[in-house]
Amino acid sequence: MTFVDTVACLLCRCHGEIDDVVDFDRLQLQLADDGRVDSVEVCDALCLGDSLANLARKMGADNGSRTLIAGCSALARGDELVDRLTAHGIDPGRVKITDIREGCAWIHADQPKEATSKAADLVRMGITALLHRQTSPEVEIEICPRVLVIGSGPAGMAAAVALGSYGVSVVLVESTGKLGGMLNYLSRVAPGDRTTEEIQEPLVEAIRKVPNIQVHLGTRVDKIEGSAGNFEVFLSGKNGETRLETGAIIVATGAKPVLPRGMYRYGELAGVISGMEMEKIFKDGMPAGDTVFIQCVAVRNQARPYCSAVCCPASLKNAIRLKESNNKVDVTILHRDVMSPGRHLEELYRCATAAGVGFIRFDPDDPPRVEGNDKVAGVRVADALSGQKRLIEAERVVLATPLEPRENSAIPLSADNHGFYTVQSFLHTVETTVPGLFVCGSARWPVMVDGALTQGRAAAAKALDLVSRPKYRASGLIGFQGTRFACAQVSQKTCTGCGNCVAACPFDACHLEKTKEGLRAVVNPVCCMGCGSCAAVCPNQSAALPEMASISMARIVENAFAGRPLRCRCADTQGSAANQ
Amino acid sequence: MKACTTEKTLQERTRGTAGPKILVFSCRWCSGIGADDAGRKRLSMPTGFRCVEVECIASIDPDIILKAFSEGAEGVAVFGCHLGGCRYNRANHAAAKRMAMAATLLETVGIGAGRLLTSFGTAHEGYQFAELMRRFSQRIETLPTLTRKEARDWRLGG
């Protein structure tokens, strides 16, 4: 499409909201002087009546024309106007909204003269942006209709079952020899008194029944290559190394429990056990004897400053079971503060207090001490609330240990400060910064079984959205907006292969390729999200966003203060004044 | 021509009553919406600034900041999302570092690091945006006038 190099300006009065402040007659005169302006029109309110339909008809008659609408901001009605024009069949690339209401008239109501010249500048900047705007080419990806689920914990199984029941081909990879992940090691599931089989068996049964779920036990993921729609995954396991093509990947690798080595005499004194060992004792048979639980072991400290969120409910659950099996045993929970958010967990806490579980709060600077010579005799603790020093007799001390992230170099996801995989900010629970890669369960944050199941299904829904279509627009892959702003382009003629863009890209979309002339940067149009980091660091402007190239930005800056009297009328005087 | 013959300082003639000329680059996800929010609340601000909305402040090349000064801007403000709140992964962390570098550069060439303001705000921070613009305008007003001569010196390497 070739455009004429002039722009039609449409000034919206907004029923006097704008032209009470901005002098539209002067604005029109100034714009008429501008060689780039084809025509200037004033309308009463573009969003009301048939003004927009008229505009659409006019623009539809001349396909080469472009229109700048100066009125309210894009957030107020501007974007809506563009959408309505698009519905009339007008290419949104031919329209630009310049905000002279929120950005000018309303904030400068006390200085109408200055507001007018500012409005003229803003319109000129808009014209420049519109004239220099180009459109990134659209890329269509052919989607491989398969999903790989890594990890068969509750999250991974829920995702696989959800996808399988929709008829999607699913490959479930598990590094151990058994499905279930952490469920295999737990005795009961909090909140409530549910056995793990209650949760595990229907899922395993469904995985067995649905024919399009392939399970690979004892298999690891070695490497992930490619991008959304066409990932190439290298697996190694019992059957040797295999290569797998997949459209989307769900990471449900979970987290691992910390071993409290060297804390509270763990490992040297019989009777001091970790939370996971307690679960094993429960699985083998109901234990007896007075028990003390110590919370926040090896967590919420300098090394692991987060709250693992699952250890308080786990201790509450086990304390209640001990107390309910035998009311004679003394069960005490030593805590910094009990984390039991939500209705169900708060109920669990109340249930524990009602059952007669003792709660003693300790100061992290003065932690409890485990007493005993060859086996546990008791725990000495300073009660932070009453100030009393107490000795609690017990024959078992359970250290409630947190979950910590697993390290897996094969998964190309960025991790937060703690090592858990990050998801996109703002209301994106399972979408990561890599399109087509979703994360759920404890791999993204320690989560209880119910949460893991829900997250697994959420990840399945997102993956389904991607793999259920044969083709997908690359510009629609960006999670937080319908269409990405731009896709970076690198001029192969001028690129020197310095690699600045490769280092700067927050999505690892740039890479260097060897050509006859040497190294050249190449942008993967599927991974690029259009932030422009590469354009900012490129030393010779080879990398650019077509929608906002550096030349366009420079022209906009040139126009920003063009309307000042000094530059248009007193340019000579300014020079002479500066020379003195 | 009339304005040039009166006994006004260069600064007064350049600015009129508008306040210093400030070019604002704002990210369209957070601070751009914040600026819009300030507009919706009709907060009064000095008229000397012009907003350029960019997709992410990571796309701002230090060159364009120098370009703004050579085009007559007296200050440049770069507003992004809060650190950790960037839509584009870690892009605004990189931009923050780049702006710190640009400030050093401005100090070296004699424009002064104080003329570049980097700040991070969210979409609902309209009051903060207005206050930042007022304060930055005041700060620029206290600085000595940026004349073209200085700009020429910098081009010659002096």
Side-chain angles (χ1 to χ4, degrees), chain A residues 73 118 121 426 506 558, chain B residues 17 36 49-50 67 87 89:
Chain A
S73 73
K118 176 166 178 170
D121 281 351
F426 307 107
E558 275 169 18
Chain B
T17 52
D36 196 70
F49 74 93
R50 307 281 184 267
K67 169 91 182 163
R87 294 286 198 287
N89 205 356

Side-chain angles (χ1 to χ4, degrees), chain A residues 17 73-76 79 99 101-103 106-108 110-111 114-115 117-118 121-122 125 414 422 424-426 433 478 480-481 483 485 503-508 529-533 535-538 541 545 548 550 553-558 560-561 564-567 569-570 573-575 577-580, chain B residues 1 3-4 10 13-23 25 28-30 32-33 35-36 38-64 67-75 84-91 94 98 147-149 152:
Chain A
E17 285 288 347
S73 73
L75 280 168
D79 279 342
D99 161 29
R101 191 178 76 175
E102 278 87 347
W106 279 1
I107 52 176
H108 305 315
D110 47 347
Q111 286 167 289
E114 299 298 340
S117 64
K118 176 166 178 170
D121 281 351
L122 290 174
M125 286 158 76
S414 55
T422 45
Q424 273 179 23
S425 43
F426 307 107
T433 48
I478 188 160
F480 52 86
Q481 64 190 123
T483 309
F485 172 68
C505 182
F507 297 97
D508 299 328
M529 292 290 145
C531 65
S533 296
V537 295
C538 187
Q541 273 129 36
L545 301 180
M548 183 66 114
S550 57
M553 194 92 108
R555 294 286 168 272
I556 291 172
V557 169
E558 275 169 18
F561 301 103
R564 289 310 176 77
L566 196 87
R567 274 190 70 87
R569 272 183 245 136
C570 316
T573 357
Q574 184 200 19
N579 284 335
Q580 281 160 14
Chain B
M1 295 306 277
C4 305
L10 181 72
R13 260 188 282 132
T14 344
R15 285 179 189 151
T17 52
K21 296 190 267 186
I22 296 168
L23 195 68
F25 291 104
R28 89 171 173 100
W29 293 102
C30 287
I33 305 178
D36 196 70
R40 234 171 298 147
K41 291 184 174 126
R42 304 185 191 226
L43 305 173
S44 177
M45 279 176 248
T47 52
F49 74 93
R50 307 281 184 267
C51 260
V52 181
E53 277 203 1
V54 291
E55 189 63 18
C56 176
I57 57 161
S59 65
I60 298 164
D61 191 338
D63 279 0
I64 205 74
K67 169 91 182 163
F69 283 112
S70 73
E71 285 300 323
E74 291 164 77
C86 183
R87 294 286 198 287
Y88 293 101
N89 205 356
R90 43 161 225 263
R98 204 171 298 141
T147 59
R148 291 219 143 235
K149 192 157 176 285
R152 194 160 300 148

Side-chain angles (χ1 to χ4, degrees), chain A residues 263-385:
Chain A
M263 306 200 70
Y264 299 104
R265 302 174 71 186
Y266 176 82
E268 66 173 83
L269 198 65
V272 182
I273 57 174
S274 75
M276 289 310 288
E277 285 163 51
M278 188 66 187
E279 298 286 345
K280 192 167 181 303
I281 293 174
F282 267 117
K283 263 179 116 72
D284 295 342
M286 187 56 71
D290 296 349
T291 306
V292 171
F293 290 87
I294 302 178
Q295 298 302 113
C296 300
V297 177
V299 75
R300 294 172 77 194
N301 54 14
Q302 208 97 46
R304 285 190 201 91
Y306 58 92
C307 168
S308 169
V310 295
C311 10
C312 279
S315 291
L316 288 171
K317 167 198 77 176
N318 289 340
I320 294 170
R321 281 195 77 194
L322 278 173
K323 204 69 187 166
E324 279 178 352
S325 71
N326 181 2
N327 203 21
K328 299 248 167 54
V329 295
D330 279 337
V331 181
T332 316
I333 295 182
L334 308 183
H335 62 95
R336 279 164 65 176
D337 32 26
V338 178
M339 295 290 181
S340 60
R343 185 167 70 88
H344 298 295
L345 294 185
E346 182 62 21
E347 215 170 275
L348 199 67
Y349 175 71
R350 283 173 192 228
C351 187
T353 44
V357 176
F359 287 89
I360 296 174
R361 186 174 185 164
F362 67 87
D363 188 343
D365 295 332
D366 184 15
R369 275 185 300 126
V370 179
E371 303 280 322
N373 295 324
D374 52 344
K375 65 188 214 38
V376 173
V379 180
R380 206 171 280 279
V381 62
D383 189 333
L385 296 180

Side-chain angles (χ1 to χ4, degrees), chain A residues 509-556:
Chain A
C510 294
H511 60 276
L512 290 176
E513 259 178 25
K514 254 195 189 129
T515 62
K516 269 183 254 164
E517 288 91 35
L519 289 172
R520 292 287 180 269
V522 177
V523 177
N524 182 343
V526 181
C527 297
C528 177
M529 292 290 145
C531 65
S533 296
C534 48
V537 295
C538 187
N540 62 358
Q541 273 129 36
S542 301
L545 301 180
E547 268 79 353
M548 183 66 114
S550 57
I551 183 77
S552 147
M553 194 92 108
R555 294 286 168 272
I556 291 172

Side-chain angles (χ1 to χ4, degrees), chain A residues 19-364:
Chain A
D19 70 346
D20 277 356
V21 180
V22 176
D23 184 350
F24 266 29
D25 294 336
R26 267 186 62 198
L27 188 59
Q28 267 176 292
L29 277 177
Q30 286 204 33
L31 290 177
D33 278 348
D34 199 318
R36 301 168 300 172
V37 178
D38 176 39
S39 63
V40 187
E41 269 183 63
V42 176
C43 77
D44 205 35
L46 195 58
C47 51
L48 298 177
D50 56 354
S51 336
L52 195 91
N54 288 339
L55 175 65
R57 207 173 305 127
K58 213 173 108 190
M59 287 187 76
D62 183 2
N63 269 331
S65 69
R66 285 178 281 190
T67 305
L68 181 102
I69 301 170
C72 57
S73 73
L75 280 168
R77 299 300 286 271
D79 279 342
E80 189 194 316
L81 293 178
V82 177
D83 287 348
R84 278 167 63 189
L85 280 173
T86 314
H88 275 101
I90 306 296
D91 175 14
R94 293 170 58 198
V95 194
K96 172 142 178 81
I97 303 287
T98 285
D99 161 29
I100 57 168
R101 191 178 76 175
E102 278 87 347
C104 183
W106 279 1
I107 52 176
H108 305 315
D110 47 347
Q111 286 167 289
K113 208 175 136 216
E114 299 298 340
T116 306
S117 64
K118 176 166 178 170
D121 281 351
L122 290 174
V123 173
R124 274 192 213 105
M125 286 158 76
I127 292 168
T128 321
L130 183 58
L131 284 174
H132 285 86
R133 183 161 72 186
Q134 286 170 319
T135 323
S136 306
E138 181 60 273
V139 179
E140 281 219 327
I141 323 161
E142 288 198 18
I143 304 282
C144 170
R146 184 182 292 137
V147 180
L148 170 74
V149 181
I150 309 172
S152 75
M157 285 200 296
V161 170
L163 283 167
S165 63
Y166 275 106
V168 177
S169 159
V170 182
V171 178
L172 182 61
V173 172
E174 167 61 44
S175 62
T176 65
K178 199 179 171 203
L179 293 176
M182 194 66 102
L183 284 176
N184 292 326
Y185 304 101
L186 299 180
S187 58
R188 292 287 171 102
V189 175
D193 196 26
R194 292 167 295 170
T195 57
T196 49
E197 287 78 23
E198 242 173 276
I199 291 160
Q200 197 172 353
E201 263 166 18
L203 288 171
V204 173
E205 191 62 26
I207 288 172
R208 244 182 236 132
K209 262 192 202 156
V210 180
N212 46 359
I213 304 180
Q214 273 181 47
V215 182
H216 294 287
L217 293 176
T219 308
R220 294 192 148 272
V221 174
D222 287 338
K223 204 160 79 173
I224 296 174
E225 280 180 359
S227 52
N230 297 291
F231 286 107
E232 206 178 336
V233 186
F234 297 89
L235 306 170
S236 65
K238 286 179 290 192
N239 313 332
E241 292 188 1
T242 44
R243 206 182 124 266
L244 181 81
E245 275 180 12
T246 175
I249 299 174
I250 294 176
V251 178
T253 48
K256 60 177 184 200
V258 173
L259 265 187
R261 282 199 193 91
M263 306 200 70
Y264 299 104
R265 302 174 71 186
Y266 176 82
E268 66 173 83
L269 198 65
V272 182
I273 57 174
S274 75
M276 289 310 288
E277 285 163 51
M278 188 66 187
E279 298 286 345
K280 192 167 181 303
I281 293 174
F282 267 117
K283 263 179 116 72
D284 295 342
M286 187 56 71
D290 296 349
T291 306
V292 171
F293 290 87
I294 302 178
Q295 298 302 113
C296 300
V297 177
V299 75
R300 294 172 77 194
N301 54 14
Q302 208 97 46
R304 285 190 201 91
Y306 58 92
C307 168
S308 169
V310 295
C311 10
C312 279
S315 291
L316 288 171
K317 167 198 77 176
N318 289 340
I320 294 170
R321 281 195 77 194
L322 278 173
K323 204 69 187 166
E324 279 178 352
S325 71
N326 181 2
N327 203 21
K328 299 248 167 54
V329 295
D330 279 337
V331 181
T332 316
I333 295 182
L334 308 183
H335 62 95
R336 279 164 65 176
D337 32 26
V338 178
M339 295 290 181
S340 60
R343 185 167 70 88
H344 298 295
L345 294 185
E346 182 62 21
E347 215 170 275
L348 199 67
Y349 175 71
R350 283 173 192 228
C351 187
T353 44
V357 176
F359 287 89
I360 296 174
R361 186 174 185 164
F362 67 87
D363 188 343

